[in-house]
Amino acid sequence: MSKNIRSNYLTGAEAMVKLLEGYEVKYIFGLCGDTSLPFYDALYQLTHSIKHILTRDERSASYMADAYARVTGKVGICEGPSGGGATYMIPGVVEANESSISVISITSDVPLTSIGHFPLTELKQKELFKPLTKWNEIIEEPKNLGSIIRNSFKQSTSGRPGACHICFPFDIQTAEISEEDIWVDKKFTKFPSLPLKPDPLKIDQIVQELSKSKNPMIICGGAIKNSFAEKELQRLVEKLNIVLATSVTGKGTLADIHPNCLGVVGSNGGSIYSREVIKKSDLVIFIGCRAGSVTTEKWQYPDSQTKIIHIDIDQKAIEANYKTHISLVADAKLTLIELNKKTKKNDFKGNIIVAGVKRNKFSEFNKLLKDNKGLIKPERIVKELNDILPKNTYIVVDPGTPCPYFSAYYNFSKSGRYFLTNRAHGALGYALPASIGVQIAKPKNKVVSIMGDGSFGFTVGELETAFRLKLPIIFIVISNSVYGWIKAGQKSSFNKRYYSVDFTRTDHAKVASAYGLKAWTVRKPQELKKIILKAVKQKGPCLIDIIS
């Protein structure tokens, strides 16, 4: 109810707040602007349960909403002003959309009556967001506000989940809206909603192919976690004793320590040993995985001759890269439930195959992590964190050089959504703001944000947000003064012709201290464990600058 006495109508801004609350929105991540003033005033005036999280950059708001949605299964909401605010929000919106994560981006806009007269921040927002979102609309009539909001939640959560965008002009925010149109459909508060059941005939075909196979394996993307289907998958894997591998996004589908979990495959966390398992497989089953260039090492593993079964909610993903023997468009969880009903117990010796791969892979890893000479190696960082952090810690990794190390070698002892990174587009600057979204969603869990110093520079301002909100996140910067992944590419593919990839070293600990965080710099391998133990005990945000 408003703090002021009103008649039986609401402003458009007030109606928006009421509808968002009706869809069980608890947090809005965003940044203020002139064209958003009525919306902010409605958030101030009305009594509601929504908390607005002020960010220091619109991109950060969209990444926070994305991460919040990933760990909760609820729709992430971000908002920002017109013009530059809308353009800055794009990275997180497109990342969520391509990762099948439900996010709704609301951007305010100049009054409809001023369009075409060159007002400050005028921008064709619908055209801007059209190729980047699943669904996108401008509220051009007050009477359409309710239906547009309801449709955005339906579109974002159903079918293949994704990002939606709503343009909210200033004069619609101040227009009168009938209270009769303020209602919601609770089916669309979480994703995936309206899950698609599998075709029973296709289930029978898959069961038959599995029974004929000699050396099958499963490769999962993020859909298992998005559908909360980890238990159903584990049951099938153990029933068949089959090898289970994942994409980077799929890490956590099965606990890393599970005897059947091969781990991440591909060019961003795989190994030559896991590659051999794929090469020897006579049947590869992709579940909720686009089979893109990273997971398949540019479509080499599996090769075009391998028999493929592809299960995905998105018809476009099927046969985009491989000719499929059997394709099934359906929800991952419902598909696994049916497969478990009809699949007979088998023994494909997956645990034996995986044990051999892990033995070889970690033999090399263990040699490197013990080195106490010179700079701190990434392997040492991964191992110390893995040994010290609580088992239910959320690890948020930027997609630069830290990503392949943590996706390959960090061992989660339980399945779930504990590992986050933005692999759809791999834009730097994700880990710092995304960890804030995770910590807000999971206040009782430890959250660790890991990035290179290149990534740190993108979103450093959000350290203030973490300090203001008193979030006990551990930020770790792996500092080597270079865009390392690109320099590695110049080394391996361009005969060491290093060009425009190196920059000067920053004292990240001093930067963090200036924002109010407790911070340390670590230069020697033997110092690392002691500092991590100190960081875990901190009640507020802190930062470890690791010279690597």
Side-chain angles (χ1 to χ4, degrees), residues 27-30 51-55 64 436 440 465 468-469:
Y27 297 96
I28 299 173
F29 303 91
K51 183 174 181 179
H52 186 275
I53 305 297
L54 175 65
T55 67
M64 290 177 198
I436 293 174
I440 287 169
T465 307
R468 174 174 15 106
L469 299 175

Side-chain angles (χ1 to χ4, degrees), residues 16-58:
M16 176 69 79
V17 174
K18 292 280 190 182
L19 285 162
L20 292 176
E21 184 178 38
Y23 277 103
E24 301 177 5
V25 172
K26 299 300 181 187
Y27 297 96
I28 299 173
F29 303 91
L31 186 60
C32 49
D34 291 350
T35 52
S36 305
L37 285 170
F39 182 46
Y40 274 54
D41 194 52
L43 285 165
Y44 175 84
Q45 292 256 34
L46 294 177
T47 300
H48 56 80
S49 58
I50 300 171
K51 183 174 181 179
H52 186 275
I53 305 297
L54 175 65
T55 67
R56 302 300 298 271
D57 185 284
E58 289 88 351

Side-chain angles (χ1 to χ4, degrees), residues 63-110:
Y63 282 149
M64 290 177 198
D66 167 276
Y68 177 86
R70 287 179 193 246
V71 298
T72 62
K74 298 178 181 179
V75 182
I77 306 294
C78 54
E79 64 82 21
S82 56
T87 62
Y88 293 157
M89 196 170 283
I90 285 172
V93 173
V94 69
E95 178 64 37
N97 193 54
E98 294 300 315
S99 300
S100 302
I101 301 298
S102 289
V103 165
I104 296 176
S105 167
I106 303 168
T107 52
S108 56
D109 201 3
V110 298

